[in-house]
Amino acid sequence: PLLTRDIELEIAPACLYNGLGIIGWSPLAGGMLTGKYGDGRETNEQGRFAGGDMGKWWRDRWATEENYGATAGFLRISKDLKVSPVTLAIAYALLPDWMTSVIIGARTLDQLADNLAAGDFVIPDDYREKLDEIGRASCRERV
């Protein structure tokens, strides 16, 4: 949940209070956090942002200037930590005590390996703070 944090306001506290688990959806933000959509200046005809009604829905949800800026910062951290952005995104999504699991998906064995590596990857505290700030800044811009 790096790029959308609204679940933290009411849903997560209600689930914790009632002893319910949460399974996170789209920890890669529709592919944004993989870096495959670049900085948003060029159209990428692959992935979820491709044409059609569903592509428009994904673009409308994720393809914002704030999210492209947050993604750039996220990718710098991934590079600093020498870890796949997929592994970092999923590991970050799993951090909150209210997150039970996340939905993952992979088309290749390499993608699956990056997804599964998140279960063992420990984000150093100083980088977690940087990721938290990226997420907060991205959400602040939309309020």
Side-chain angles (χ1 to χ4, degrees), residues 44-98:
N44 184 327
E45 295 302 324
Q46 302 207 0
R48 289 187 171 84
F49 288 20
D53 290 340
M54 279 309 294
K56 181 181 179 334
W57 183 87
W58 283 95
R59 286 188 309 275
D60 289 349
R61 179 170 179 81
W62 299 109
T64 66
E65 190 172 327
E66 295 83 19
N67 282 350
Y68 283 113
T71 297
F74 171 83
L75 293 172
R76 281 191 296 275
I77 290 173
S78 170
K79 188 175 181 178
D80 285 353
L81 292 173
K82 296 177 178 54
V83 66
S84 159
V86 171
T87 300
L88 181 60
I90 294 171
Y92 183 77
L94 290 169
L95 283 175
D97 58 353
W98 45 263

Side-chain angles (χ1 to χ4, degrees), residues 14-131:
C15 288
L16 279 172
Y17 179 80
N18 290 293
L20 301 172
I22 295 174
I23 298 175
W25 170 79
S26 198
L28 304 179
M32 286 282 297
L33 296 177
T34 67
K36 74 172 161 185
Y37 298 113
D39 62 7
R41 292 187 192 118
E42 296 180 24
T43 304
N44 184 327
E45 295 302 324
Q46 302 207 0
R48 289 187 171 84
F49 288 20
D53 290 340
M54 279 309 294
K56 181 181 179 334
W57 183 87
W58 283 95
R59 286 188 309 275
D60 289 349
R61 179 170 179 81
W62 299 109
T64 66
E65 190 172 327
E66 295 83 19
N67 282 350
Y68 283 113
T71 297
F74 171 83
L75 293 172
R76 281 191 296 275
I77 290 173
S78 170
K79 188 175 181 178
D80 285 353
L81 292 173
K82 296 177 178 54
V83 66
S84 159
V86 171
T87 300
L88 181 60
I90 294 171
Y92 183 77
L94 290 169
L95 283 175
D97 58 353
W98 45 263
M99 187 65 73
T100 306
S101 186
V102 296
I103 298 171
I104 62 170
R107 287 187 318 266
T108 68
L109 288 176
D110 287 342
Q111 288 176 350
L112 181 61
D114 285 345
N115 277 246
L116 297 178
D120 294 322
F121 184 72
V122 177
I123 301 172
D125 289 341
D126 55 333
Y127 281 97
R128 181 182 178 169
E129 290 171 16
K130 291 176 185 181
L131 291 167

